[in-house]
Amino acid sequence: MDHALRRERLDERLRELGVDALLVTRLPNVRYLTGFTGSNGQLVVGANESVFFTDGRYEHQSSREVPDVRREIYSETFAERAAAWGRAAGVTRIGFEAAGLTYKGWSDLRDRVAGAFELVSTDGEVERLRVAKERSEIEAIARAQACADEAFDRVVLGGGVREGVTERGLARSLEEAMRDAGADDLAFDPIVAFGEQAAEPHHSPTDRPLAPGDVVKLDFGAIVDGYHSDMTRTVALGEPRPELRTMHDLVAVAQRRAIETVRAGARLAVVDRAARGAIDDAGFGDSFPHGLGHGVGLEIHEDPRLRWDADGELAEGAVVTIEPGVYVPGLGGVRIEDMVEVTSDGCRAMPRSTREMVVL
Ligand code: ZN
Ligand code: ZN
């Protein structure tokens, strides 16, 4: 991954932003621009050079992960260090990430800077660079997805969905199977929801045991080399009620319609509405209360957001989820979620697990 090239691309934006330098404090952005994987690191891009800041715990690790950027190890607060750097560099306007500082962090920095230079709020600059993935990033996401596919095979198709297993128990099995398959970590705590509990779009696994006729909604993913995967499948233990079958068929149609509209240049809102229209037409419009999907990469939820009210269009090389769902309180819910890689003339779905409502 060419971190220097990424920093150059950001550097080129500084003039348009009207700043001498940009202070990058959101960790996924620091990682994207440097390769640093620790829990405390900041980066300044611009003012003739990039500087990476961290504390003594990461002196050795950062020398390995960030060999091509001047590093400063600090023991004071970062606000003090950053203010001192700005004075020494003679900057007049420095951008900061609005989403990368707490109110306290910003107040501390403002007090330290005390008029020496101006702090300028910026929003989503590095996130925008991250939308179109490089080949190596897409490969990492695919490896993470392969761990989830393997867990689906081993746990779901391999006998783990059985009468009496609890949501918690099934979640643990999925976690273990993903780690066994090579996941560095979980992309998020798996959502495992049985029967009527599947009517909650997000749901924390409980001790509810699985019973015949229940649907089983599973939303899970892995992390490999910092990159996430995200997939939802809805299966059943024994034949579910016909209404749930109908809901699954509808969600599958909605997902297909949306996927058919995906290509570089497609409007985000148009892709969302392709799925939403199918669900509306079937009379379930009120039962699909979330956006259609989101970007996936160094974060589980990142740009672009596929929503009915979103501005903008899909970029070639973006990886986004297409995840329509229908949720009916008291009955259950169905969601089908696949990551797709956006190409110039369409898209490539990344999971290999079947989207069918497998009856176990
Ligand atoms: Zn998901
Ligand atoms: Zn998702």
Side-chain angles (χ1 to χ4, degrees):
M1 303 197 182
D2 193 341
H3 302 112
L5 182 66
R6 294 173 180 175
R7 292 193 298 273
E8 263 170 49
R9 291 178 61 204
L10 182 62
D11 198 282
E12 284 163 12
R13 265 291 284 165
L14 299 184
R15 188 186 297 270
E16 290 162 60
L17 290 169
V19 297
D20 306 316
L22 182 65
L23 181 56
V24 180
T25 54
R26 287 201 70 230
L27 272 174
N29 292 342
V30 173
R31 181 172 187 159
Y32 181 75
L33 296 168
T34 66
F36 179 67
T37 64
S39 67
N40 180 45
Q42 299 83 24
L43 180 74
V44 172
V45 173
N48 303 319
E49 65 166 351
S50 296
V51 186
F52 173 78
F53 300 91
T54 189
D55 65 76
R57 293 171 301 166
Y58 291 115
E59 184 164 7
H60 181 70
Q61 180 178 329
S62 63
S63 70
R64 185 165 37 83
E65 292 179 338
V66 194
D68 58 341
V69 180
R70 183 160 79 77
R71 288 175 308 121
E72 288 198 10
I73 311 296
Y74 62 89
S75 51
E76 67 272 53
T77 67
F78 175 66
E80 282 176 80
R81 193 68 210 98
W85 172 84
R87 288 171 197 272
V91 295
T92 56
R93 284 165 64 84
I94 181 164
F96 68 93
E97 298 184 288
L101 288 175
T102 59
Y103 182 72
K104 183 177 183 317
W106 178 79
S107 309
D108 285 351
L109 188 59
R110 181 200 53 193
D111 293 347
R112 298 285 174 191
V113 166
F117 53 88
E118 196 181 335
L119 292 168
V120 179
S121 174
T122 71
D123 185 29
E125 291 300 326
V126 184
E127 286 82 352
R128 265 191 287 286
L129 296 179
R130 285 167 44 194
V131 167
K133 267 68 180 173
E134 295 152 21
R135 188 44 42 195
S136 57
E137 296 182 282
I138 289 172
E139 283 164 7
I141 296 169
R143 286 199 300 278
Q145 179 54 46
C147 297
D149 281 325
E150 211 168 309
F152 184 83
D153 284 356
R154 193 174 118 191
V155 176
V156 179
L157 305 181
V161 175
R162 58 180 189 278
E163 192 168 350
V165 69
T166 64
E167 290 172 343
R168 281 201 175 108
L170 190 53
R172 268 199 302 280
S173 301
L174 285 170
E175 292 173 17
E176 192 179 282
M178 285 191 284
R179 290 188 195 278
D180 287 349
D184 297 328
D185 206 344
L186 307 172
F188 51 92
D189 289 332
I191 295 169
V192 175
F194 295 163
E196 72 293 339
Q197 316 233 67
E200 295 175 21
H202 277 192
H203 172 75
S204 290
T206 68
D207 290 323
R208 183 197 186 285
L210 185 61
D214 281 342
V215 288
V216 177
K217 193 182 72 195
L218 306 160
D219 188 349
F220 59 106
I223 297 178
V224 170
D225 290 340
Y227 285 82
H228 296 66
S229 74
D230 193 4
M231 172 172 84
T232 306
R233 292 291 182 263
T234 307
V235 300
L237 179 67
E239 191 55 37
R241 287 165 60 170
E243 303 95 293
L244 289 160
R245 221 345 127 195
T246 306
M247 283 159 60
H248 195 280
D249 291 346
L250 172 60
V251 171
V253 166
Q255 196 203 30
R256 244 190 340 265
R257 294 237 178 111
I259 287 175
E260 280 164 10
T261 68
V262 172
R263 65 178 50 78
R267 305 293 304 172
L268 301 172
V270 169
V271 179
D272 179 284
R273 287 181 199 146
R276 201 165 300 280
I279 291 172
D280 274 346
D281 290 348
F284 283 93
D286 294 337
S287 306
F288 176 22
H290 55 76
L292 179 67
H294 53 87
V296 180
L298 285 172
E299 293 178 277
I300 181 64
H301 296 124
E302 56 180 55
D303 291 339
R305 313 287 163 153
L306 286 147
R307 289 173 51 90
W308 59 93
D309 57 355
D311 248 341
E313 52 189 44
L314 285 172
E316 185 170 356
V319 173
V320 297
T321 67
I322 304 292
E323 50 177 309
V326 166
Y327 315 90
V328 178
L331 179 61
V334 171
R335 180 166 63 251
I336 309 174
E337 173 179 28
D338 287 80
M339 292 186 300
V340 300
E341 175 198 344
V342 180
T343 61
S344 59
D345 59 351
C347 67
R348 263 189 290 275
M350 299 184 76
R352 62 168 171 75
S353 300
T354 177
R355 294 174 189 156
E356 298 296 308
M357 184 187 236
V358 183
V359 175
L360 298 147

PDB file of all heavy atoms in Angstrom, residues 182-196:
ATOM      1  N   GLY A 182      -8.738 -17.565  10.172  1.00  0.00           N
ATOM      2  CA  GLY A 182      -7.647 -16.622   9.924  1.00  0.00           C
ATOM      3  C   GLY A 182      -7.974 -15.168  10.193  1.00  0.00           C
ATOM      4  O   GLY A 182      -7.151 -14.287   9.911  1.00  0.00           O
ATOM      5  N   ALA A 183      -9.169 -14.891  10.749  1.00  0.00           N
ATOM      6  CA  ALA A 183      -9.506 -13.500  11.062  1.00  0.00           C
ATOM      7  C   ALA A 183      -8.578 -12.972  12.148  1.00  0.00           C
ATOM      8  O   ALA A 183      -8.289 -13.672  13.116  1.00  0.00           O
ATOM      9  CB  ALA A 183     -10.959 -13.406  11.531  1.00  0.00           C
ATOM     10  N   ASP A 184      -8.106 -11.725  11.991  1.00  0.00           N
ATOM     11  CA  ASP A 184      -7.316 -11.084  13.049  1.00  0.00           C
ATOM     12  C   ASP A 184      -8.225 -10.691  14.201  1.00  0.00           C
ATOM     13  O   ASP A 184      -7.818 -10.645  15.355  1.00  0.00           O
ATOM     14  CB  ASP A 184      -6.640  -9.814  12.519  1.00  0.00           C
ATOM     15  CG  ASP A 184      -5.655 -10.127  11.404  1.00  0.00           C
ATOM     16  OD1 ASP A 184      -5.051 -11.215  11.443  1.00  0.00           O
ATOM     17  OD2 ASP A 184      -5.489  -9.284  10.500  1.00  0.00           O
ATOM     18  N   ASP A 185      -9.464 -10.362  13.859  1.00  0.00           N
ATOM     19  CA  ASP A 185     -10.417  -9.888  14.863  1.00  0.00           C
ATOM     20  C   ASP A 185     -11.815  -9.949  14.249  1.00  0.00           C
ATOM     21  O   ASP A 185     -11.974 -10.280  13.068  1.00  0.00           O
ATOM     22  CB  ASP A 185     -10.073  -8.443  15.266  1.00  0.00           C
ATOM     23  CG  ASP A 185     -10.549  -8.111  16.681  1.00  0.00           C
ATOM     24  OD1 ASP A 185     -11.394  -8.861  17.228  1.00  0.00           O
ATOM     25  OD2 ASP A 185     -10.092  -7.098  17.231  1.00  0.00           O
ATOM     26  N   LEU A 186     -12.817  -9.596  15.063  1.00  0.00           N
ATOM     27  CA  LEU A 186     -14.188  -9.524  14.561  1.00  0.00           C
ATOM     28  C   LEU A 186     -14.437  -8.110  14.050  1.00  0.00           C
ATOM     29  O   LEU A 186     -13.961  -7.136  14.646  1.00  0.00           O
ATOM     30  CB  LEU A 186     -15.185  -9.808  15.686  1.00  0.00           C
ATOM     31  CG  LEU A 186     -14.955 -11.099  16.464  1.00  0.00           C
ATOM     32  CD1 LEU A 186     -15.900 -11.149  17.670  1.00  0.00           C
ATOM     33  CD2 LEU A 186     -15.175 -12.304  15.555  1.00  0.00           C
ATOM     34  N   ALA A 187     -15.179  -7.982  12.964  1.00  0.00           N
ATOM     35  CA  ALA A 187     -15.499  -6.650  12.435  1.00  0.00           C
ATOM     36  C   ALA A 187     -16.447  -5.925  13.398  1.00  0.00           C
ATOM     37  O   ALA A 187     -16.448  -4.702  13.476  1.00  0.00           O
ATOM     38  CB  ALA A 187     -16.130  -6.774  11.056  1.00  0.00           C
ATOM     39  N   PHE A 188     -17.256  -6.705  14.114  1.00  0.00           N
ATOM     40  CA  PHE A 188     -18.203  -6.188  15.120  1.00  0.00           C
ATOM     41  C   PHE A 188     -18.764  -7.406  15.831  1.00  0.00           C
ATOM     42  O   PHE A 188     -18.569  -8.537  15.354  1.00  0.00           O
ATOM     43  CB  PHE A 188     -19.341  -5.365  14.463  1.00  0.00           C
ATOM     44  CG  PHE A 188     -20.032  -6.077  13.324  1.00  0.00           C
ATOM     45  CD1 PHE A 188     -21.161  -6.843  13.542  1.00  0.00           C
ATOM     46  CD2 PHE A 188     -19.511  -6.019  12.029  1.00  0.00           C
ATOM     47  CE1 PHE A 188     -21.785  -7.529  12.499  1.00  0.00           C
ATOM     48  CE2 PHE A 188     -20.128  -6.704  10.982  1.00  0.00           C
ATOM     49  CZ  PHE A 188     -21.267  -7.454  11.212  1.00  0.00           C
ATOM     50  N   ASP A 189     -19.425  -7.196  16.966  1.00  0.00           N
ATOM     51  CA  ASP A 189     -20.044  -8.334  17.647  1.00  0.00           C
ATOM     52  C   ASP A 189     -21.167  -8.870  16.758  1.00  0.00           C
ATOM     53  O   ASP A 189     -22.047  -8.105  16.345  1.00  0.00           O
ATOM     54  CB  ASP A 189     -20.639  -7.909  18.997  1.00  0.00           C
ATOM     55  CG  ASP A 189     -19.547  -7.592  20.006  1.00  0.00           C
ATOM     56  OD1 ASP A 189     -18.443  -8.172  19.888  1.00  0.00           O
ATOM     57  OD2 ASP A 189     -19.782  -6.754  20.898  1.00  0.00           O
ATOM     58  N   PRO A 190     -21.157 -10.170  16.460  1.00  0.00           N
ATOM     59  CA  PRO A 190     -22.185 -10.703  15.545  1.00  0.00           C
ATOM     60  C   PRO A 190     -23.594 -10.422  16.057  1.00  0.00           C
ATOM     61  O   PRO A 190     -23.844 -10.456  17.264  1.00  0.00           O
ATOM     62  CB  PRO A 190     -21.913 -12.205  15.534  1.00  0.00           C
ATOM     63  CG  PRO A 190     -20.503 -12.365  15.963  1.00  0.00           C
ATOM     64  CD  PRO A 190     -20.226 -11.224  16.902  1.00  0.00           C
ATOM     65  N   ILE A 191     -24.489 -10.143  15.114  1.00  0.00           N
ATOM     66  CA  ILE A 191     -25.911 -10.047  15.435  1.00  0.00           C
ATOM     67  C   ILE A 191     -26.498 -11.416  15.124  1.00  0.00           C
ATOM     68  O   ILE A 191     -26.401 -11.895  13.993  1.00  0.00           O
ATOM     69  CB  ILE A 191     -26.595  -8.964  14.565  1.00  0.00           C
ATOM     70  CG1 ILE A 191     -26.043  -7.578  14.892  1.00  0.00           C
ATOM     71  CG2 ILE A 191     -28.115  -9.023  14.743  1.00  0.00           C
ATOM     72  CD1 ILE A 191     -26.456  -6.491  13.905  1.00  0.00           C
ATOM     73  N   VAL A 192     -27.036 -12.059  16.152  1.00  0.00           N
ATOM     74  CA  VAL A 192     -27.708 -13.347  15.970  1.00  0.00           C
ATOM     75  C   VAL A 192     -29.091 -13.186  16.587  1.00  0.00           C
ATOM     76  O   VAL A 192     -29.202 -12.900  17.787  1.00  0.00           O
ATOM     77  CB  VAL A 192     -26.930 -14.493  16.659  1.00  0.00           C
ATOM     78  CG1 VAL A 192     -27.708 -15.799  16.567  1.00  0.00           C
ATOM     79  CG2 VAL A 192     -25.537 -14.656  16.037  1.00  0.00           C
ATOM     80  N   ALA A 193     -30.125 -13.320  15.780  1.00  0.00           N
ATOM     81  CA  ALA A 193     -31.490 -13.074  16.266  1.00  0.00           C
ATOM     82  C   ALA A 193     -32.407 -14.187  15.799  1.00  0.00           C
ATOM     83  O   ALA A 193     -32.462 -14.496  14.603  1.00  0.00           O
ATOM     84  CB  ALA A 193     -31.994 -11.725  15.766  1.00  0.00           C
ATOM     85  N   PHE A 194     -33.129 -14.792  16.749  1.00  0.00           N
ATOM     86  CA  PHE A 194     -34.018 -15.910  16.443  1.00  0.00           C
ATOM     87  C   PHE A 194     -35.481 -15.446  16.456  1.00  0.00           C
ATOM     88  O   PHE A 194     -35.891 -14.678  17.342  1.00  0.00           O
ATOM     89  CB  PHE A 194     -33.905 -17.007  17.507  1.00  0.00           C
ATOM     90  CG  PHE A 194     -32.547 -17.683  17.575  1.00  0.00           C
ATOM     91  CD1 PHE A 194     -32.206 -18.425  18.708  1.00  0.00           C
ATOM     92  CD2 PHE A 194     -31.635 -17.587  16.535  1.00  0.00           C
ATOM     93  CE1 PHE A 194     -30.978 -19.069  18.788  1.00  0.00           C
ATOM     94  CE2 PHE A 194     -30.398 -18.228  16.609  1.00  0.00           C
ATOM     95  CZ  PHE A 194     -30.068 -18.973  17.743  1.00  0.00           C
ATOM     96  N   GLY A 195     -36.246 -16.012  15.536  1.00  0.00           N
ATOM     97  CA  GLY A 195     -37.696 -15.848  15.577  1.00  0.00           C
ATOM     98  C   GLY A 195     -38.123 -14.402  15.635  1.00  0.00           C
ATOM     99  O   GLY A 195     -37.648 -13.563  14.864  1.00  0.00           O
ATOM    100  N   GLU A 196     -39.014 -14.087  16.588  1.00  0.00           N
ATOM    101  CA  GLU A 196     -39.574 -12.729  16.671  1.00  0.00           C
ATOM    102  C   GLU A 196     -38.487 -11.692  16.976  1.00  0.00           C
ATOM    103  O   GLU A 196     -38.640 -10.523  16.669  1.00  0.00           O
ATOM    104  CB  GLU A 196     -40.714 -12.680  17.704  1.00  0.00           C
ATOM    105  CG  GLU A 196     -40.299 -12.778  19.179  1.00  0.00           C
ATOM    106  CD  GLU A 196     -39.715 -14.139  19.589  1.00  0.00           C
ATOM    107  OE1 GLU A 196     -39.969 -15.133  18.886  1.00  0.00           O
ATOM    108  OE2 GLU A 196     -39.006 -14.183  20.607  1.00  0.00           O
TER     109      GLU A 196
END
